[in-house]
Amino acid sequence: MMSRIRQWLADTPIRDPVDRRNATFMQLLLIFEGVRIPVTKLYLFGLHWSYLQDRFYGKARIGAPAAMAIDIGTDLAMTVSAWLGLCLIRRGRFSQAVAQFVATMLACGAVAYAAFGYRATDGNLTLMMILALSGLMLGRRALWITYGVEALILVMSVDPLKAPATSHLPGMMMAVYDVLPLRALTSYLLIALIVDRSIHALRDSLIESEHRRLQLVREIAERERTQEQLLHAQKMDAVGKLASGVAHDVNNVFDIILGFSTERDRLPESDDLPPGDMRTIADALEGIELAARRGTAVCRKLLNFSRRDVAFTEEFDMVAALRELHPLLRQSLSSHNELRLRLPDAPRLIRFDRSQFELAIINLVTNARDAMPDGGCCTIAIEDGAEHTVLSVSDTGMGMAESIRAQVFEPFFTTKPAGRGTGLGLSVVQGLVVQAGGWTAVESTPGQGTTIRLSLPRAGVSAVESGFQDVSGPMYRVEG
């Protein structure tokens, strides 16, 4: 219940942040005054009429009937002003609500003091409330206007007939002091000074805070512009490095094409070719066709990056894809390297972009070749897991130290000399596998070789169901 009331009080269409914060208190004050004034008057009329008649109305300057009419009229005016102020605040007109309430209270106070006199009234606390309210809610200008009006009201409330006639200056000064409400005037002045200084300090703090806020907004906007420029520069740099990486991939494809093209040197110069040589030519041409298809896929990868197209995911047999890719993989290795495929007889269906899958395998085999400059064996194997298929590419090369192994999947990290690598190959492979819902792992021992494993969900198993995570720590070992 209380939370709803607080929410209702705070829900006002007031733009100024200070007024919006003061609106809750001001609404409570207006509701209190709108209820207190009539209830108090009814209480006094019902239970203390003799007190009002003897001590209040009977001492009025203008007679009891007129005094009662003025008392009831001013209370009615202040009650209406309080509820009117509440309605104005609910409509978002905070300053107008406070101004009309303060003006009404001052007008009613002037009438009451003029009718009953300063000594006969007990409205000093009300005048203090109005003085503080005008300063805190409306500002310093309203504060001093209110003080001037209240000082005028107090002076007008003095009964001049009570001032003794004397020509002695000290006696006259004492008489004036007794007649004029100097203590009230000085007390109100002290209150006004305190409120004024408080308002000045609060307003200065608010202005300073607003200035700092605007400065912070400008700095944040400037930082955002600088960050955008930095990101744009980094993207341009990444595009350049990516283009270099794509050129590296294309170079691998062209190496294969050149390797197949050299098969013509084995053919005799005679026009009559034996069937075996014809078979060699046919195989070479098939290899050139496959290599050209890989080159087209590389170009498409670059175009997809520039257009931000999504990869073309399809369901295909990993075993059949590797068998078809075998001639290209064999050609990617040097003549003193051996390639072994350990593939199951049954199909292993996965969902992946086939072109990116083939390029990833070529990248891994090319890395294995570079790791075995003096010759060695590259082994590609498929292992089965519960809901995934693990493809491993192993070499018997130089291996890697732990510090290097921990960074192999970082973009642009490479141990190859300048012009030989960009450091994008393994990072791109990892990104493709993780995007498909799998993970990558690497195990390497210096002097013994390296094994890189790619774990991919089987067809029909989503990335969420597989529960795969990106793992670049110790190699994942398949049990069973």
Side-chain angles (χ1 to χ4, degrees):
M1 183 65 181
M2 294 301 299
S3 61
R4 292 183 178 180
I5 294 177
R6 288 194 295 267
Q7 180 64 29
W8 181 80
L9 293 173
D11 187 16
T12 55
I14 300 175
R15 296 182 178 179
D16 187 89
V18 177
D19 291 345
R20 187 166 57 251
R21 291 176 180 271
N22 291 330
T24 299
F25 166 77
M26 194 64 202
Q27 290 177 94
L28 292 174
L29 177 63
L30 292 175
I31 293 173
F32 175 78
E33 290 296 315
V35 173
R36 180 192 67 83
I37 294 173
V39 169
T40 302
K41 191 59 62 180
L42 291 175
Y43 170 77
L44 293 175
F45 276 174
L47 299 179
H48 298 281
W49 170 253
S50 59
Y51 172 81
L52 290 176
Q53 186 69 24
D54 297 338
R55 298 293 183 91
F56 194 62
Y57 297 145
K59 296 182 179 181
R61 298 174 180 175
I62 57 177
M68 185 173 64
I70 290 176
D71 185 34
I72 296 175
T74 53
D75 285 350
L76 180 61
M78 289 186 292
T79 301
V80 172
S81 177
W83 291 110
L84 177 61
L86 178 64
C87 294
L88 290 175
I89 291 178
R90 300 306 304 172
R91 294 177 178 271
R93 300 161 66 180
F94 179 82
S95 298
Q96 294 181 7
V98 178
Q100 66 85 27
F101 180 70
V102 170
T104 301
M105 296 290 285
L106 289 175
C108 293
V111 174
Y113 272 80
F116 298 98
Y118 170 72
R119 302 291 183 182
T121 58
D122 57 352
N124 291 341
L125 294 179
T126 301
L127 293 181
M128 290 181 184
M129 179 196 71
I130 296 302
L131 183 64
L133 187 66
S134 62
L136 294 174
M137 300 298 172
L138 299 178
R140 302 174 66 191
R141 183 170 179 268
L143 170 68
W144 290 109
I145 292 176
T146 302
Y147 174 76
V149 174
E150 290 186 352
L152 182 61
I153 291 173
L154 292 176
V155 172
M156 290 174 58
S157 67
V158 174
D159 188 357
L161 298 177
K162 294 183 179 180
T166 178
S167 59
H168 188 57
L169 183 60
M172 184 179 296
M173 293 180 62
M174 290 299 299
V176 171
Y177 179 80
D178 290 336
V179 172
L180 293 177
L182 293 181
R183 283 188 296 180
L185 290 174
T186 53
S187 298
Y188 289 1
L189 178 60
L190 181 60
I191 294 173
L193 288 173
I194 294 175
V195 173
D196 178 82
R197 299 315 304 166
S198 299
I199 294 173
H200 181 70
L202 290 174
R203 293 291 178 178
D204 286 349
S205 299
L206 180 61
I207 293 174
E208 184 178 356
S209 299
E210 182 67 14
H211 176 71
R212 290 181 178 179
R213 186 188 69 82
L214 294 176
Q215 184 178 3
L216 181 61
V217 169
R218 288 193 295 267
E219 290 179 358
I220 293 176
E222 183 64 27
R223 288 182 180 180
E224 289 178 350
R225 286 193 296 269
T226 304
Q227 185 176 12
E228 290 177 358
Q229 294 173 357
L230 177 61
L231 290 176
H232 180 72
Q234 290 177 341
K235 182 177 180 181
M236 293 300 100
D237 181 65
V239 168
K241 292 181 179 179
L242 179 65
S244 177
V246 172
H248 176 69
D249 291 339
V250 173
N251 184 66
N252 291 335
V253 174
F254 286 150
D255 285 343
I256 297 172
I257 295 176
L258 291 174
F260 279 113
S261 299
T262 57
E263 293 292 331
R264 72 179 186 274
D265 296 335
R266 297 171 51 191
L267 299 177
E269 297 181 359
S270 173
D271 293 337
D272 299 328
L273 299 178
D277 291 338
M278 294 298 295
R279 180 70 261 175
T280 303
I281 293 176
D283 291 342
L285 292 176
E286 181 181 0
I288 292 174
E289 179 185 359
L290 291 175
R293 186 157 62 89
R294 301 291 86 74
T296 302
V298 171
C299 295
R300 190 178 70 181
K301 181 172 69 173
L302 180 59
L303 293 175
N304 286 345
F305 177 82
S306 62
R307 295 196 305 264
R308 297 183 181 178
D309 291 343
V310 296
F312 178 70
T313 304
E314 58 182 316
E315 183 177 312
F316 64 93
D317 180 14
M318 180 192 299
V319 176
L322 289 173
R323 293 188 190 279
E324 293 180 8
L325 200 60
H326 180 266
L328 277 77
L329 299 178
R330 175 60 258 179
Q331 200 65 34
S332 298
L333 297 172
S334 59
S335 58
H336 48 277
N337 292 137
E338 181 183 357
L339 177 63
R340 295 178 182 176
L341 297 182
R342 295 179 179 176
L343 308 178
D345 296 331
R348 295 295 186 270
L349 298 180
I350 62 172
R351 288 193 60 82
F352 208 82
D353 186 302
R354 181 158 181 167
S355 298
Q356 293 179 346
F357 173 80
E358 294 172 349
L359 286 173
I361 301 304
I362 292 176
N363 266 321
L364 294 178
V365 172
T366 303
N367 287 341
R369 177 200 66 193
D370 294 339
M372 301 183 295
D374 299 328
C377 179
C378 176
T379 304
I380 300 177
I382 292 180
E383 304 172 19
D384 291 326
E387 296 179 341
H388 52 272
T389 301
V390 181
L391 183 146
S392 62
V393 178
S394 305
D395 65 68
T396 58
M398 299 177 291
M400 294 179 290
E402 176 62 25
S403 59
I404 298 177
R405 187 201 63 79
Q407 305 179 69
V408 292
F409 292 120
E410 294 182 5
F412 310 123
F413 175 80
T414 180
T415 58
K416 299 177 182 179
R420 292 286 305 278
T422 61
L424 287 171
L426 291 179
S427 65
V428 171
V429 170
Q430 184 194 38
L432 295 174
V433 173
V434 171
Q435 184 179 7
W439 48 257
T440 58
V442 58
E443 183 184 64
S444 184
T445 302
Q448 298 183 14
T450 301
T451 298
I452 295 179
R453 282 192 163 97
L454 312 180
S455 181
L456 295 171
R458 293 178 181 174
V461 179
S462 65
V464 177
E465 293 172 346
S466 65
F468 288 160
Q469 296 180 350
D470 176 16
V471 178
S472 57
M475 183 187 71
Y476 176 85
R477 299 183 181 274
V478 180
E479 302 290 343

